[in-house]
């Protein structure tokens, strides 16, 4: 049974998974806010702007920034670089359709291959086109055990507002095990580069 995280909560991934995790998928998702006037589409009808036609969609981009113990960025995985230089982290690419199991974008992490000097992975989403989170609802991130596709932890965010980005969560090493920290802090920027002053304190 996946644990539902609250903002600021930290968990041990191995304990929640019932054993050592070596490969995980971090899925990030969101819905397009339709407002109270949209009664006919229902939840599935409005997922990711599907079936609404035209300009109801919003394209958010997920990124993962790798940090060392000095809070220095070692590498970044985003839409312009879908794979870390060491090969341990792979972004599956942009998805605007809502196909699949509900994740808009998925970042695969081989924890066993993450370089020893990397102590934390910070995951963010941002609106490259500058649309604010006033048009977003039901944003979430979740950790999935890639070996059996079982959900380990989920963090649901109430994220509507005038911000254009969100620092979602951090996966980090502590006492030789991997943990997850639900961050949920708002920020503004078109790419992760713009977010770095807000991201670094959480690294």
């Amino acid at each position: 049974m996946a644990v539902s995280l609250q903002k600021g909560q930290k968990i041990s991934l191995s304990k929640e998974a019932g054993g050592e995790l070596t490969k995980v998928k971090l899925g990030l998702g969101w819905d397009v806010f339709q407002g109270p006037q949209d009664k006919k589409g229902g939840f599935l009808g409005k997922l990711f702007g599907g079936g609404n036609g035209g300009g109801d969609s919003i394209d958010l981009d997920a990124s993962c920034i790798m940090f060392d113990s000095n809070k220095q960025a070692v590498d970044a995985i985003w839409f312009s670089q879908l794979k870390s230089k060491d090969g341990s982290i792979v972004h599956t690419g942009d998805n605007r359709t809502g196909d699949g199991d509900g994740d808009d974008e998925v970042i695969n992490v081989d924890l066993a291959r993450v370089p020893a000097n990397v102590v934390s992975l910070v995951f963010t989403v941002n609106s490259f086109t500058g649309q604010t989170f006033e048009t977003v609802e039901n944003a979430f991130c979740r950790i999935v055990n890639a070996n059996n596709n079982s959900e380990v932890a989920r963090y649901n965010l109430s994220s509507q507002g005038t911000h254009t980005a969100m620092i979602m969560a951090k996966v980090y090493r502590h006492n030789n095990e991997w943990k997850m920290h639900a961050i949920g802090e708002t920020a503004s920027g078109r790419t992760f580069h713009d977010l770095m002053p807000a991201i670094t304190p959480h690294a």
Side-chain angles (χ1 to χ4, degrees):
M1 187 73 180
V3 62
S4 180
L5 294 175
Q6 303 299 313
K7 182 175 179 177
Q9 188 175 352
K10 301 176 182 179
I11 60 163
S12 164
L13 293 180
S14 59
K15 288 177 183 174
E16 296 300 336
E20 184 180 4
L21 280 180
T22 55
K23 294 183 179 180
V24 298
K25 297 189 288 188
L26 190 117
L28 303 108
W30 51 86
D31 298 345
V32 179
F33 179 62
Q34 298 298 316
Q37 75 281 1
D38 180 29
K39 302 294 185 185
K40 56 188 177 181
F43 178 73
L44 292 176
K46 66 183 180 180
L47 261 178
F48 318 116
N52 292 309
D56 285 338
S57 64
I58 179 172
D59 180 35
L60 300 182
D61 296 311
S63 303
C64 172
I65 303 91
M66 308 171 75
F67 287 92
D68 64 17
S69 59
N70 295 316
K71 294 195 174 186
Q72 296 295 310
V74 175
D75 202 356
I77 299 85
W78 59 308
F79 66 80
S80 284
Q81 181 188 308
L82 295 176
K83 188 175 183 179
S84 62
K85 295 180 180 69
D86 58 77
S88 64
I89 302 176
V90 179
H91 194 310
T92 60
D94 202 6
N95 171 20
R96 303 185 187 190
T97 66
D99 288 344
D101 58 4
D103 297 323
D104 269 289
E105 297 195 7
V106 176
I107 299 175
N108 293 298
V109 182
D110 187 342
L111 295 171
R113 291 182 59 193
V114 173
N117 67 312
V118 173
V119 299
S120 65
L121 314 171
V122 179
F123 296 87
T124 66
V125 291
N126 54 270
S127 170
F128 183 75
T129 54
Q131 291 165 285
T132 71
F133 275 63
E134 290 172 311
T135 58
V136 175
E137 63 180 352
N138 301 326
F140 69 86
C141 64
R142 66 189 192 117
I143 290 278
V144 175
N145 184 342
N147 292 322
N148 58 15
N149 281 322
S150 63
E151 186 175 291
V152 177
R154 174 181 286 257
Y155 178 36
N156 295 313
L157 304 97
S158 56
S159 57
Q160 285 183 302
T162 57
H163 51 284
T164 58
M166 186 151 238
I167 304 165
M168 302 281 275
K170 174 174 75 170
V171 173
Y172 64 103
R173 298 184 205 258
H174 182 71
N175 292 336
N176 296 317
E177 67 173 326
W178 287 100
K179 295 193 171 187
M180 181 179 180
H181 177 198
I183 298 173
E185 292 292 338
T186 60
S188 291
R190 295 177 66 242
T191 70
F192 80 89
H193 297 94
D194 303 328
L195 307 178
M196 288 303 289
I199 295 171
T200 303
H202 296 285

